[in-house]
Amino acid sequence: MTDKFISIEAIARRYPGADGKETTVFENLWLSMGRGEFGCVIGHSGCGKTTVLNILAGLDEPSEGAVIVDGQAIEGTSLDRAVIFQSHALLPWRTVLGNVAYAVTSKWRNWDRAKVKAHAQTFIDLVGLTGSEHKRPSELSGGMKQRVGIARALSITPKIMLMDEPFSALDALTRGTLQDEVRRICLETGQTAFMITHDVDEAIYLADKIFLMTNGPGAVLAEIVENPLPKDRGRIDLHRHPYYYALRNHIVDFLVSRSKTFASDVTNHDPRNVPVVRPGLSEPTIVSAPNLVETGSAQTVAR
Amino acid sequence: MTSSLRFRAAVVSIALFAAFLGIWHLATRPTAAAHNMSPEYAKLMGLTATQGKSAMPGPLDVGAKLWEHLRQPFYDNGPNDKGLGIQLGYSIARVGLGYFLAVIVAIPLGFLIGMSPLISKALDPFIQVLKPISPLAWMPLALYTIKDSSISAIFVIFICSVWPMLLNTAFGVAAVRKEWINVARTLEVGTVRRAFTVILPAAAPTILTGMRISIGIAWLVIVAAEMLVGGTGIGYFVWNEWNNLSITNVIIAILLIGIVGMLLDQILARFTRMVTFPE
């Protein structure tokens, strides 16, 4: 058994329906992650991804089950678990420095102003916003706002960073640079991170483990995909790696068809022992992939 | 472009004002004096009948009288003859006091209503019934219980300014974005600190808007309240001058009520701008 830094144990979330019946978003969900791992959840809308993240954050409570982080069952929100919100959620009446300092003073209440400022500045520099400390969120671009959100989350040196589709509202170029930043920061600091995304390439680039969820209601964690790409992968040449297409096709296939049919196809699914898949060369569909890459022509694949 | 628009608007405003004064002046010109009136009868009649002077004062009469008032705003010749500055001062002091009391009550209570759905639902029927009551309807009850006309007027100001502030505060607090609350929750910010660092700044523009509506209503009501309670204040001045049949003074009072009301509104508008944040 690997080190279980985060362990989600048999959680369920039910909402009271209009007709008195309960709607079960998911139940008996088990999920674990090791320290320093980057986990990504992929699934269609309505599968309860955000609910899982909110439960991890403590913003929502599971109807059943428990979540254990670093050996302790979580109860409510905590400064150990920082959240990067999809909508950045900066306080618009505070400056960049003010927003980060607000988080810093929340964690270390007895620090004096100078210490708080210096600490906040470190993280503003880390996300590359040096010089914009005194701007208000309304004066920043979408990407810069999300950088502040990242700086705010990191500034409290959390055990886990939780991200709810943090880059989905950004344009492709900005998203790319921010993914680079997040990857660099997580690798440098050994940060444990849990992220929700819709973007397959984002998951492939960032995640060590990709959690595939089937469609809700009654969603289950169908598979854990281990990322076979090397740790030092770069965003630019990611798609040239021989395992890339195997991994990508596996995830896309799941999202396109298997996420719908999973419940009827797989009858012996054990939510406690979710199969771990490591797509690689042995994947029959793309067995000649490395050769194709060597020829360097996409046309060959088509013929 | 903007400055030129403002300039053109100012020109049109001045032109309209000049036209208004001109029409007013022409409409109140003296008509031909009566010639064949017996002198004894003429003595009994005023200038209106004998000299053909208009019953309505013209702009020049009002201007002259206004100048007289402005030169001596704070004279005090007994209960029925005080300077306009003193009368306005009384009114502003009453409005200020009643309004201040309303702020003290409405903002904390509004916070409570906004933050607690239970309190909100429980107090809702009372607010719905009390809100539409004309503040002056409280006057007899206030006079009977408080037994002091001046404090009763302050109470009436309090009761009329409390509702917009209360409702706007409750709405502003309840409508604070969930994500900002969640930020505070994930940072383990306590309830009190959350109220002051997240909810108050987020709801401040709405609260200030309620305060701005309240000061407007308070200034409307004080005139009527002072007409009832009498003694001092600009409302009493208007009624007293009506009893004196001094239409000139009534017009001057109307003008000053408008200007003071505008200034009060502008002060609150400035405060509102100070707490408004761009999204």
Side-chain angles (χ1 to χ4, degrees), chain A residues 162-189:
Chain A
L162 302 167
M163 294 174 263
D164 184 2
E165 299 186 37
F167 312 129
S168 62
L170 305 177
D171 66 274
L173 278 172
T174 316
R175 193 185 308 154
T177 17
L178 277 183
Q179 285 166 354
D180 289 343
E181 298 278 345
V182 165
R183 177 144 182 87
R184 177 179 63 82
I185 291 164
C186 285
L187 285 177
E188 277 173 12
T189 57

Side-chain angles (χ1 to χ4, degrees), chain B residues 21 57-58 76 80 130 154 207 256:
Chain B
L21 287 182
D76 188 352
N80 276 344
L130 292 174
I154 292 168
I207 296 174
L256 287 175

Side-chain angles (χ1 to χ4, degrees), chain A residues 25-221:
Chain A
V25 187
F26 52 79
E27 60 187 344
N28 201 16
L29 184 85
W30 296 71
L31 189 155
S32 63
M33 270 174 59
R35 194 187 291 267
E37 274 188 321
F38 198 118
C40 258
V41 179
I42 289 196
H44 289 283
S45 301
C47 75
K49 305 184 297 281
T50 301
T51 313
V52 173
L53 185 123
N54 282 345
I55 290 172
L56 255 176
L59 292 169
D60 201 348
E61 280 180 15
S63 312
E64 288 161 22
V67 177
I68 294 162
V69 171
D70 203 12
Q72 271 197 319
I74 65 163
E75 219 167 281
T77 55
S78 161
L79 284 158
D80 288 340
R81 286 166 271 129
V83 184
I84 297 175
F85 295 89
Q86 183 177 9
S87 54
H88 60 77
L90 299 180
L91 305 177
W93 54 88
R94 284 174 179 264
T95 59
V96 168
L97 186 66
N99 267 286
V100 180
Y102 184 64
V104 177
T105 45
S106 300
K107 174 131 186 178
W108 296 282
R109 295 190 188 180
N110 45 4
W111 279 16
D112 58 55
R113 272 166 174 272
K115 201 169 177 189
V116 167
K117 190 166 180 263
H119 186 85
Q121 187 66 50
T122 318
F123 288 90
I124 292 170
D125 297 344
L126 183 72
V127 297
L129 282 179
T130 317
S132 305
E133 298 85 358
H134 300 294
K135 286 188 178 157
R136 308 234 165 216
S138 57
E139 299 167 68
L140 303 177
S141 68
M144 287 163 93
K145 282 181 200 164
Q146 200 51 284
R147 280 169 193 266
V148 183
I150 295 168
R152 178 172 65 185
L154 288 169
S155 69
I156 56 172
T157 56
K159 288 180 181 168
I160 309 171
M161 208 155 71
L162 302 167
M163 294 174 263
D164 184 2
E165 299 186 37
F167 312 129
S168 62
L170 305 177
D171 66 274
L173 278 172
T174 316
R175 193 185 308 154
T177 17
L178 277 183
Q179 285 166 354
D180 289 343
E181 298 278 345
V182 165
R183 177 144 182 87
R184 177 179 63 82
I185 291 164
C186 285
L187 285 177
E188 277 173 12
T189 57
Q191 182 73 53
T192 312
F194 184 82
M195 178 163 156
I196 287 173
T197 183
H198 273 124
D199 183 341
V200 176
D201 285 313
E202 183 169 276
I204 294 175
Y205 177 47
L206 293 174
D208 302 315
K209 273 185 184 172
I210 300 161
F211 302 97
L212 302 180
M213 284 183 77
T214 62
N215 291 2
V220 295
L221 175 60

